[in-house]
Amino acid sequence: MAVASEAGGRSKSAGGRKRKASSAKPKATREELLHFYEQMLRIRRFEEKAGQLYGMGLIGGFCHLYIGQEAVVVGMQSVLEPQDTIITTYRDHGHMIACDMDPKGVMAELTGRIGGYSKGKGGSMHMFSKEKNFYGGHGIVGANVSLGTGLGFAHKYKEDGGVCLTYFGDGAANQGQVYESFNMAALWKLPVIYIIENNKYGMGTAVKRASATTDLYQRGAAHGIPGRHVDGMDVLAVREAGRKAVDSARAGDGPVILEMETYRYRGHSMSDPAKYRSKEEVSKMRQEHDPIDHLKQQLLEQKHIDEAGLKEIDKEIKAVVNEAAEFAQNSPEPDPSELYTDVLVEA
Amino acid sequence: MAEITLVEAVRLALARAMEEDESVLVLGEDVGVDGGVFRATDGLIRRFGPDRVRDTPLAEAVIAGVSVGLAVQGFRPVAEIQFMGFIYPTMDQMVNHAARFRNRTRGRLTCPMVLRAPYGGGIHAPEHHSESNEAMFAHMPGLRVVIPSSPARAYGLMLAAVRDPDPVVFLEPKRIYRAIKEEVADDGSEQPLDTCFVLREGTDVTLVTWGAMSVETLAAAEALAETEISAEVIDVATLKPLDMATILASVEKTGRCVIVHEAALTGGFGGEIAARLAEHGLMSLLAPVQRVTGHDIVMPLPRLEDQYMPGTDRVVAAARRAVEFA
Ligand SMILES: Cc1ncc(C[n+]2csc(CCOP(=O)(O)OP(=O)(O)O)c2C)c(N)n1
Ligand SMILES: [Mg+2]
């Protein structure tokens, strides 16, 4: 996969640019690399556990796993400042873990318990954290793009120096309100980074069967929004592209589109017959492009850590995830009186 | 004759309609290769090809708008919205265009399209995958709103909906997509789009319902029979236009009415039926009309869902109240 290529820009035309791989490898310190590794692995182990609990019938509703896409959210998170905001879709567990929400609260929401972030009434798609500036988890595909544009507007209006990261999928990129958002954000120079997580499929539909043009990073060209194509399986490439985008939005230059080329290993949701792709395709991606394996290789090659050290990290993460799963199974179910709360303000 | 489920009946009717009329097209997200989220269109793409069975991009507003454009040119598009919670962007097109072509053109153009969506709760899905907002469409002049409650009804009503010259919002109770099996003859015969159906005859109380709640309502009638209360059960099937004559005739006989729906109480379609009973059936009523409905809240997940859904007990209790009143 190409590392990064650029499109758009206010003065240049975006059309027809070929993707080009940049040769310079982004650098990172040992601490940074280990932090990324730990973050990505934490998401993966969390998701594996969520998959298990779903299999055991403990999770109601739907459950969309993020496995395979970890580098995107971890790389982006590393360039944020505390006032920045984040909004995403229903494939949201990774985003919540990355912005340091409590895995216990996330898992307990999945199991519908009172200890969950939405008191067990929202489920996998609908969780929020005001403290962590995480504005959800949204199930209506494409709709969160308008909301993220509004979050960006608020940053600009308040002059708080914040930037909003608005994540959505390749499928969502075909919804009309995405373009209405692009226009408004470009017109008002809103500090919004539109992150298209192109995992190649929207439910069962491959990008090329749903999109007239598949270079999604160029989708803002008509509005003069610069776009970059990024290897979303490489956390350092993501960080590099993310930093540039965030810096420019923060400086008042308006929105940026980052198309993250990535892949989801699991089904669209837990009930997905996956008739639309081959097992070989999935295993090839896992074997050749896995973001965690890739970083692990780097860590070992550069002798930042040995196998024993890696095992230790995994053990610690597993303990955290197991604790979350315990909590999610033991937290009480919401009381029936909870049915009537939080519809309108209570007098 | 084979025994089939409701979702299979939908598929059978769609295949029949496509077979007999080349102007029938099926479109929507994942309706082709995947066969639809609930497999309602499974196999149609193999049989009729990708020109007539189209996987669309993810764009509900345009799915509806494109269907209107096709329909006014004489096609009969059947568009799927994956869940009713995603139907809101289509309302603009359905209300402002689909519903008004006949009126605006004084009958010169019509809009023979069907907008299908699985609807209703009880499958442990989040809110926008569980809602039943049939009343919002029923409120709009120029649309038919149809809800089948069994496989045979789904087959007959779907064929009628596709053949109808006007736009039909066809809501499929997904909770019972696979719950009931029934013999359905694939003979191309339709069921009327302007009729309420009496599912069970009785003399003491009329239970009026539609969609998946017919299951609980029939069970309630069964339970009431054990205590010597004879309940008549009516499946509304087509909410708009409403066949009030059948409901009034029943209430004239029983003197009591319980309306059951899972949508929220306020502004629910039960209110319309109750109002018409008050207007045209007051002298038949021996007891106040009762409504057994969902609550005025957002559909909760997943542990509280059972508390939300009106169960057989609540229907039985309401019928008892009506009978005990007078
Ligand atoms: C408005 C709307 N339409 C349809 C759906 C059903 N749906 C949920 S996810 C999805 C596919 C989205 O694909 P993409 O944007 O690529 O995100 P991914 O699932 O790949 O992360 C669809 C069609 C929905 N939730 N909302
Ligand atoms: Mg996708």
Side-chain angles (χ1 to χ4, degrees):
Chain A
M1 269 186 258
V3 173
S5 55
E6 293 204 22
R10 279 164 194 80
S11 50
K12 288 176 226 150
S13 112
R17 282 263 201 124
K18 276 270 163 280
R19 294 173 177 194
K20 61 174 197 296
S22 103
S23 49
K25 271 269 166 214
K27 290 198 176 47
T29 65
R30 173 179 186 268
E31 279 61 44
E32 286 168 342
L33 292 176
L34 280 171
H35 173 72
F36 291 152
Y37 181 77
E38 194 270 337
Q39 288 286 302
M40 291 197 289
L41 195 62
R42 183 187 283 253
I43 294 171
R44 178 148 314 172
R45 294 288 180 248
F46 181 93
E47 293 291 65
E48 286 167 352
K49 184 58 84 180
Q52 274 171 22
L53 296 190
Y54 191 95
M56 290 158 69
L58 293 167
I59 294 178
F62 300 107
C63 186
H64 305 87
L65 301 182
Y66 195 63
I67 297 180
Q69 302 181 212
E70 297 91 345
V72 176
V73 78
V74 169
M76 288 306 300
Q77 193 66 28
S78 71
V79 300
L80 294 190
E81 289 182 9
Q83 73 274 28
D84 296 338
T85 49
I86 295 153
I87 189 164
T88 187
T89 70
Y90 46 85
R91 199 176 297 288
D92 54 357
H93 313 159
H95 303 69
M96 294 187 277
I97 305 290
C99 61
D100 201 29
M101 284 166 65
D102 184 354
K104 293 209 284 287
V106 179
M107 200 69 97
E109 189 57 39
L110 296 182
T111 56
R113 305 308 174 96
I114 198 84
Y117 269 99
S118 300
K119 292 187 178 173
K121 295 196 288 181
S124 163
M125 310 192 187
H126 294 144
M127 284 180 244
F128 304 81
S129 168
K130 213 172 153 185
E131 296 103 76
K132 306 290 180 190
N133 284 340
F134 180 75
Y135 284 87
H138 294 275
I140 297 297
V141 174
N144 69 306
V145 179
S146 307
L147 307 183
T149 307
L151 294 170
F153 187 9
H155 286 305
K156 170 125 184 169
Y157 198 93
K158 292 193 288 188
E159 296 182 357
D160 64 4
V163 170
C164 175
L165 298 191
T166 300
Y167 292 89
F168 55 104
D170 48 275
N174 292 319
Q175 285 281 27
Q177 62 182 310
V178 170
Y179 300 91
E180 300 172 40
S181 299
F182 285 177
N183 180 51
M184 213 177 274
L187 182 69
W188 295 340
K189 287 207 183 334
L190 303 180
V192 182
I193 314 299
Y194 296 105
I195 302 157
I196 306 177
E197 297 198 56
N198 181 353
N199 59 10
K200 312 293 192 299
Y201 298 92
M203 211 171 257
T205 304
V207 176
K208 60 178 181 302
R209 294 206 308 118
S211 294
T213 57
T214 54
D215 280 338
L216 302 180
Y217 67 101
Q218 293 186 343
R219 289 286 180 99
H223 308 98
I225 302 178
R228 281 169 67 87
H229 172 257
V230 184
D231 180 354
M233 304 301 264
D234 178 350
V235 69
L236 296 183
V238 172
R239 181 182 66 165
E240 190 76 358
R243 182 180 287 145
K244 282 193 188 136
V246 166
D247 285 353
S248 115
R250 214 187 289 289
D253 291 340
V256 178
I257 294 170
L258 298 178
E259 177 191 351
M260 300 288 176
E261 192 163 346
T262 180
Y263 200 78
R264 74 167 151 72
Y265 297 170
R266 298 292 183 92
H268 166 73
S269 67
M270 298 303 291
S271 52
D272 178 353
K275 281 195 270 181
Y276 50 86
R277 64 182 184 184
S278 67
K279 286 206 178 73
E280 292 71 41
E281 178 185 305
V282 182
S283 60
K284 192 169 153 61
M285 285 304 295
R286 293 189 91 125
Q287 277 156 23
E288 297 175 14
H289 295 285
D290 187 71
I292 299 178
D293 283 350
H294 179 71
L295 187 56
K296 184 173 170 180
Q297 245 24 71
Q298 264 175 280
L299 282 165
L300 290 171
E301 274 163 24
Q302 295 170 21
K303 303 225 177 342
H304 287 318
I305 195 165
D306 58 11
E307 289 283 1
L310 289 172
K311 278 221 178 77
E312 194 54 37
I313 293 176
D314 201 7
K315 211 171 114 195
E316 280 164 26
I317 288 170
K318 279 188 175 143
V320 171
V321 168
N322 286 336
E323 193 193 352
E326 279 293 303
F327 178 79
Q329 292 171 73
N330 296 325
S331 173
E333 300 195 355
D335 189 82
S337 65
E338 279 290 334
L339 259 183
Y340 307 98
T341 60
D342 300 321
V343 180
L344 290 172
V345 69
E346 270 134 61
Chain B
M1 237 184 332
E3 287 212 329
I4 57 173
T5 62
L6 199 156
V7 70
E8 286 165 346
V10 168
R11 189 190 309 145
L12 200 63
L14 289 176
R16 181 89 193 189
M18 295 189 81
E19 191 71 62
E20 66 186 31
D21 181 352
E22 284 189 350
S23 68
V24 177
L25 308 179
V26 164
L27 68 159
E29 294 158 16
D30 299 296
V31 297
V33 174
D34 249 30
V37 257
F38 290 99
R39 312 287 161 240
T41 53
D42 204 16
L44 294 183
I45 195 169
R46 276 194 303 282
R47 194 156 152 205
F48 299 102
D51 281 348
R52 292 183 67 194
V53 182
R54 291 244 169 191
D55 278 321
T56 67
L58 220 162
E60 284 78 7
V62 187
I63 291 171
V66 157
S67 298
V68 175
L70 283 164
V72 297
Q73 282 268 11
F75 285 94
R76 291 181 178 271
V78 181
E80 174 177 300
I81 299 300
Q82 292 186 332
F83 284 86
M84 199 180 188
F86 317 152
I87 216 166
Y88 301 110
T90 73
M91 286 193 91
D92 184 19
Q93 295 294 0
M94 294 309 291
V95 172
N96 277 321
H97 300 113
R100 300 190 190 178
F101 256 99
R102 176 183 290 283
N103 187 262
R104 280 187 191 141
T105 63
R106 307 296 174 246
R108 288 192 299 277
L109 291 175
T110 61
C111 189
M113 66 176 284
V114 178
L115 189 72
R116 303 179 34 239
Y119 93 107
I123 64 156
H124 292 315
E127 21 162 299
H128 37 47
H129 293 67
S130 301
E131 47 208 64
S132 31
N133 293 329
E134 61 273 20
M136 294 174 79
F137 285 103
H139 184 62
M140 304 316 302
L143 298 176
R144 276 182 202 276
V145 181
V146 178
I147 301 179
S149 64
S150 71
R153 192 88 66 221
Y155 178 83
L157 292 176
M158 178 56 89
L159 276 176
V162 177
R163 293 171 188 160
D164 191 79
D166 291 308
V168 178
V169 177
F170 196 92
L171 303 173
E172 299 163 11
K174 61 177 169 301
R175 178 161 62 94
I176 56 167
Y177 255 160
R178 296 184 170 80
I180 315 163
K181 275 200 165 193
E182 191 175 53
E183 284 197 349
V184 178
D186 185 15
D187 57 6
S189 57
E190 57 183 64
Q191 297 202 13
L193 290 182
D194 53 8
T195 304
C196 294
F197 299 90
V198 178
L199 300 186
R200 176 187 174 117
E201 292 192 25
T203 51
D204 298 328
V205 58
T206 302
L207 310 179
V208 177
T209 192
W210 54 90
M213 286 315 301
S214 59
V215 173
E216 282 70 18
T217 307
L218 283 168
E222 199 64 38
L224 288 163
E226 280 169 24
T227 56
E228 312 281 290
I229 295 174
S230 159
E232 180 142 308
V233 177
I234 294 181
D235 171 17
V236 176
T238 297
L239 273 62
K240 184 87 168 276
L242 178 62
D243 166 23
M244 201 55 206
T246 298
I247 298 173
L248 282 166
S250 174
V251 174
E252 200 174 316
K253 177 172 63 170
T254 62
R256 304 172 187 92
C257 186
V258 178
I259 304 161
V260 185
H261 61 68
E262 66 176 81
L265 177 73
T266 305
F269 198 71
E272 179 60 33
I273 296 173
R276 296 216 201 171
L277 281 170
E279 286 163 351
H280 306 293
L282 190 63
M283 300 329 252
S284 313
L285 286 170
L286 300 171
V289 173
Q290 310 272 328
R291 282 184 289 166
V292 177
T293 72
H295 305 281
D296 283 336
I297 60 168
V298 181
M299 191 83 171
L301 239 186
R303 323 254 156 212
L304 292 175
E305 190 181 34
D306 298 342
Q307 312 266 348
Y308 176 92
M309 299 293 292
T312 303
D313 297 0
R314 283 178 61 201
V315 182
V316 169
R320 286 238 166 80
R321 274 199 303 280
V323 171
E324 280 158 17
F325 187 88

